[in-house]
Amino acid sequence: MVTAQAMDVDPYWLEFWGEADLACHRMKAAEILGDLDAAIQAAREAVAAVNPRFARNHAVYLASHGRVLAVAGHLDEAMEIMGQAILRTAGVDSARIRNDIGRAVDTLAKRDAGPAVRGFVEWARAYPLAGATV
C-alpha cells in the first residue's frame, strides 16, 4: 500500500538528473556555440552541484571541465582538474569515463608541447583508466 508520505518522496532518479546534469548540458551547448567562458562556468557548476554519491558522474564532469579548460588554453587549471578526475576513478571500470578522460588528455596534448604538459600527458596516459585515447 502506498502512503501519502511515500508519494511525497521524490524518486531516486530525480536526484540523479538534477542541477549537475543540467549544468553539464549547458556546458556542452555553450562549447558547441563557441562560448568557452560559458562552457567553463557551466562545467564548474556541474562539478560543484553533483551529489557525492554519484562518483562516476563526478569524474565525468571533472574530465569535461578539464577538457574545456584545455580547449580554452587554461592549461595549468586543466591539468589540475583532469588529475582530480583521473585519481577519483581508481578501481572504476567505465568506458564512458575512460573515453571522456582520454579526450580531455588528448585535447591537452594538442594544445602545448611544454615540459609540464608533456609530463602530465605521459602520467595521465600511463594511468590505467586514462590510457585509452580517442
Side-chain angles (χ1 to χ4, degrees), residues 9-83:
V9 177
D10 286 335
Y12 175 76
W13 60 266
L14 282 180
E15 187 178 343
F16 184 82
W17 302 111
E19 286 183 49
D21 186 62
L22 179 59
C24 184
H25 286 290
R26 285 192 354 259
M27 178 214 62
K28 291 174 185 177
E31 187 177 12
I32 288 168
L33 294 172
D35 188 349
L36 294 179
D37 290 337
I40 290 168
Q41 181 58 37
R44 278 192 185 108
E45 291 171 13
V47 170
V50 71
N51 186 314
R53 292 189 312 164
F54 306 121
R56 293 165 86 107
N57 278 24
H58 191 243
V60 168
Y61 298 158
L62 282 169
S64 295
H65 186 193
R67 187 182 48 71
V68 295
L69 286 165
V71 168
H74 303 286
L75 306 183
D76 290 337
E77 190 177 0
M79 289 187 291
E80 178 185 337
I81 298 296
M82 285 191 279

Side-chain angles (χ1 to χ4, degrees), residues 108-124:
L108 186 63
K110 292 174 187 171
R111 286 292 291 171
D112 185 277
V117 173
R118 279 196 314 269
F120 177 83
V121 168
E122 287 175 21
W123 170 81

Side-chain angles (χ1 to χ4, degrees), residues 84-109:
Q84 290 174 30
I86 291 167
L87 294 175
R88 280 196 167 276
T89 57
V92 175
D93 184 21
S94 167
R96 177 182 172 201
I97 295 173
R98 197 170 32 254
N99 183 47
D100 284 351
I101 290 174
R103 286 180 53 216
V105 171
D106 286 349
T107 299
L108 186 63

